Amino acid sequence: MAYSDKVIDHYNNPRNMGSLDKKDKKVGTGVVGAPECGDVMKLQLKISGGVIEDARFKTFGCGSAIASSSLATEWVKGKTLDEAFQIKNTEIVNELNLPPVKIHCSVLAEDAIKAAISDYKKKNETE
Amino acid sequence: MLKFPIFMDYHSTTPVDPRVLETMLPYFSEKFGNAASKNHAFGWDAEEAVAKAREQIAHLISCNPKEIVFTSGATESDNLALKGVAGMYREKGNHIITAVTEHKAILDTAKRLEKEGFEITYLPVDSEGLINLETLKAAITDQTLLISIMLANNEIGVIQPIAEIGRIAKERRVLFHCDATQGVGKIPVNVDEMGIDLMSFSAHKIYGPKGVGGLYVRRKKPRVRLLAMMDGGGHERGMRSGTLNVPGIVGLGEACAIAEREMAEEEQRLMKMRNELQNHIMNELDEVYINGHPEKRLAQNLNISFAYVEGESLMMGLKEIALSSGSACTTATLEPSYVLRALGVGSDLAHSSLRFGLGRFTTDAEIDYVGKRVVEAVTRLREMSPLYEMAKEGIDLKSVQWTEH
């Protein structure tokens, strides 16, 4: 499989790889995918005043999955929760030139953002 | 001095040995005759060359040269064996036995025969990749025409108990076909001692050219007959019509002769290298699992699963090394290796597997380098893996509610 230069760049130089403290109330964590399917993404967002001030990812999966999640962390930083919620997987597909068989990687990244946001909201509504 | 990329995928194919190439060259140009031309020197030269190749092959597998049918490769040989027997002996029965870990050339052919009304039994394998002989015995019925079991598996290198299977087939008067594509030229094969009636092999897996292979077809005790798939001039005892690929056949013959001379030494050398690579990886990484039987496997093969790391991304991190993976992402079907799944390897670990195939031109320096790079790449990807992090936190990954997609 030939990868686009952007996928290779994210694979070689992943942005924001790592973890945030999942117990921190400001941190929303989304884990999506399944090991049996060959990809699992963990995306964490640190939110302050409704704005995403930091993001981290860890991904088990192919190069396109790693690149999709790495790109997602770049894109969400500085966005409000509503803005981040609007990110569409098709934008990730276009940015990374993903072939049809890798579209599910971008879907997973979109799902991870949404899962992290909803985790954050759940944590903070039960005050 | 290392040369890049490093080829460590010798199960997929092999380069033509320069000695093989040299013997082939005259048969492209000055000795270009048709081996079926009986009336002039061009034809005689070609026929003589083909006869010599037949002898070289026959010597390697201990058969009569007349029992070799040349084909375009092992896929054609597998097709001819299964469809040829099914078509010829249709009145005697409709049942064929094979195994779940066979090559697609067998499995897809068996599926085709199923559509035509044949019954196929797919024997399971144990966690080390071996079939159970009692299960095989129990599967034979009075309708069984053929047992088809491979010698060595292309993914995990596991070597089946061929001589025992041959004995069972003889006892029950069932024909025995063996897909020996990965075994011929690497381990000793004797069709009489192993009770083999039909056997597929290919040149390009043993340092010969692509596009040529053969099918051994027993002529005595029993005399095996096949319904030909190709109609034409009645070449190859009527079993495979078509002008013989003389340069290819010459190459196949020479490849067999070299294999026969060097097999024992080569096996020892490659086993030592393979073990070194294996030890290097196992000593430096935790949670790596060898797929397939620890001893009953080819010296050239190493198939390992690296838990918490996905195979395709691992290969991406090892792009200067030509390897193969059981990861779904490397196939068109998006399913992980059916061979590893048949061993009971979980989908997660099947996705995490790499197949190393060593061969004649593998060097110690390459083994060193590959071991080092694999450890590096796995370590880096584990740092990036949420699964590794969770496992280190003591979370049982099997108990997690994953979101299937």
Side-chain angles (χ1 to χ4, degrees):
Chain A
M1 169 116 14
Y3 290 100
S4 70
D5 291 343
K6 281 180 180 159
V7 169
I8 293 169
D9 182 43
H10 277 281
Y11 176 87
N12 288 333
N13 312 292
R15 331 283 202 260
N16 309 306
M17 197 277 284
S19 295
L20 299 169
D21 179 9
K22 64 185 170 199
K23 294 190 191 103
D24 186 344
K25 285 201 89 166
K26 286 178 153 181
V27 173
T29 302
V31 179
V32 295
E36 288 74 26
C37 306
D39 29 38
V40 174
M41 271 179 205
K42 185 186 81 167
L43 190 75
Q44 293 186 301
L45 307 175
K46 189 169 191 180
I47 294 149
S48 180
V51 174
I52 298 167
E53 62 179 25
D54 203 359
R56 291 277 188 279
F57 84 94
K58 280 202 176 191
T59 292
F60 161 82
C62 65
S64 304
I66 290 171
S68 296
S69 41
S70 169
L71 178 66
T73 59
E74 271 192 318
W75 277 2
V76 294
K77 272 204 211 177
K79 284 198 166 65
T80 65
L81 292 186
D82 285 344
E83 285 167 349
F85 208 84
Q86 298 303 317
I87 293 173
K88 293 272 172 303
N89 81 292
T90 46
E91 298 168 59
I92 296 173
V93 171
N94 291 337
E95 173 68 16
L96 295 176
N97 288 320
L98 297 182
V101 296
K102 297 296 185 188
I103 287 175
H104 71 275
C105 298
S106 68
V107 174
L108 216 53
E110 183 189 320
D111 290 351
I113 297 171
K114 295 194 158 100
I117 292 173
S118 91
D119 178 62
Y120 170 80
K121 285 183 172 166
K122 220 172 5 181
K123 260 186 181 171
N124 288 278
E125 72 194 2
T126 54
E127 287 286 308
Chain B
M1 268 298 278
L2 286 167
K3 268 210 324 224
F4 294 103
I6 291 171
F7 188 71
M8 211 159 272
D9 198 19
Y10 278 89
H11 300 298
S12 68
T13 191
T14 62
V16 175
D17 189 303
R19 295 168 291 180
V20 170
L21 181 61
E22 200 168 322
T23 59
M24 291 171 65
L25 289 175
Y27 295 93
F28 285 105
S29 44
E30 71 259 37
K31 297 182 179 179
F32 60 88
N34 185 328
S37 298
K38 306 290 183 199
N39 306 310
H40 51 66
F42 295 92
W44 300 333
D45 276 352
E47 197 194 4
E48 196 183 300
V50 169
K52 184 182 172 195
R54 262 188 231 284
E55 273 177 28
Q56 288 170 313
I57 300 161
H59 207 263
L60 177 67
I61 63 172
S62 302
C63 73
N64 186 305
K66 289 178 184 158
E67 295 176 308
I68 304 296
V69 172
F70 289 112
T71 66
S72 63
T75 293
E76 187 190 334
S77 300
D78 286 344
N79 269 267
L80 180 57
L82 267 61
K83 291 174 183 167
V85 166
M88 182 57 76
Y89 298 102
R90 196 156 210 152
E91 264 103 73
K92 290 194 169 172
N94 72 340
H95 182 224
I96 292 171
I97 299 172
T98 183
V100 287
T101 50
E102 293 291 311
H103 191 271
K104 286 287 180 191
I106 294 291
L107 295 177
D108 288 349
T109 305
K111 277 203 196 87
R112 167 84 62 167
L113 290 171
E114 256 178 313
K115 283 194 191 118
E116 291 173 10
F118 283 86
E119 300 266 336
I120 314 283
T121 299
Y122 300 92
L123 298 174
V125 295
D126 63 19
S127 61
E128 295 182 323
L130 291 168
I131 65 157
N132 180 295
L133 295 174
E134 295 308 315
T135 315
L136 167 64
K137 279 184 201 163
I140 300 172
T141 71
D142 58 356
Q143 287 293 305
T144 309
L145 293 176
L146 180 73
I147 298 168
S148 180
I149 299 291
M150 72 199 330
L151 175 53
N153 184 271
N154 47 302
E155 288 191 31
I156 50 179
V158 168
I159 299 166
Q160 298 290 349
I162 295 301
E164 284 88 335
I165 298 166
R167 254 197 301 281
I168 293 167
K170 285 278 139 343
E171 271 166 33
R172 306 291 294 269
R173 296 177 174 274
V174 173
L175 293 176
F176 177 31
H177 167 253
C178 179
D179 175 359
T181 311
Q182 296 289 347
V184 161
K186 295 187 187 128
I187 53 175
V189 171
N190 181 317
V191 290
D192 285 332
E193 284 173 9
M194 292 173 152
I196 296 169
D197 299 311
L198 296 134
M199 186 173 80
S200 306
F201 50 92
S202 178
H204 79 100
K205 306 287 192 192
I206 54 171
Y207 313 96
K210 292 166 185 63
V212 61
L215 181 68
Y216 158 77
V217 185
R218 182 172 288 283
R219 281 176 83 228
K220 274 183 192 153
K221 294 185 192 173
R223 180 181 185 86
V224 179
R225 295 163 68 215
L226 296 176
L227 184 70
M229 292 193 299
M230 202 91 82
D231 293 310
H235 308 74
E236 301 296 279
R237 297 196 284 139
M239 293 182 190
R240 207 280 192 176
S241 288
T243 298
L244 291 178
N245 168 7
V246 177
I249 289 166
V250 167
L252 170 58
E254 187 62 22
C256 287
I258 294 171
E260 191 175 350
R261 285 198 304 272
E262 302 181 358
M263 183 162 45
E265 180 275 328
E266 193 164 288
E267 192 187 14
Q268 287 309 309
R269 184 164 51 85
L270 293 176
M271 189 177 297
K272 199 169 152 272
M273 285 183 176
R274 190 270 313 274
N275 291 345
E276 237 158 70
L277 179 60
Q278 180 179 316
N279 293 339
H280 186 158
I281 291 170
M282 309 258 323
N283 289 342
E284 298 206 22
L285 293 171
D286 61 342
E287 297 211 54
V288 296
Y289 306 96
I290 294 186
N291 297 310
H293 195 284
E295 279 99 44
K296 292 175 187 164
R297 59 181 165 138
L298 295 173
Q300 292 82 350
N301 177 278
L302 181 60
N303 190 311
I304 307 192
S305 288
F306 301 88
Y308 317 121
V309 169
E310 196 277 329
E312 186 186 342
S313 63
L314 186 50
M315 288 204 298
M316 199 175 163
L318 298 167
K319 57 181 183 309
E320 77 280 28
I321 306 166
L323 287 167
S324 163
S325 167
S327 159
C329 296
T330 63
T331 67
T333 58
L334 289 179
E335 286 297 319
S337 156
Y338 69 93
V339 171
L340 296 182
R341 298 288 291 124
L343 268 63
V345 174
S347 288
D348 49 343
L349 282 178
H351 280 294
S352 304
S353 70
L354 285 187
R355 178 186 73 177
F356 302 86
L358 282 62
R360 186 168 290 165
F361 306 106
T362 304
T363 65
D364 286 321
E366 286 176 343
I367 291 289
D368 251 24
Y369 178 86
V370 169
K372 227 171 18 213
R373 288 284 294 115
V374 167
V375 170
E376 248 172 52
V378 171
T379 306
R380 174 174 117 86
L381 286 170
R382 280 183 173 174
E383 274 164 27
M384 218 187 281
S385 168
L387 303 179
Y388 191 64
E389 183 181 71
M390 290 162 93
K392 290 288 146 193
E393 285 170 6
I395 297 168
D396 176 14
L397 296 177
K398 299 251 180 315
S399 72
V400 177
Q401 278 296 111
W402 300 105
T403 53
E404 303 281 334
H405 59 285

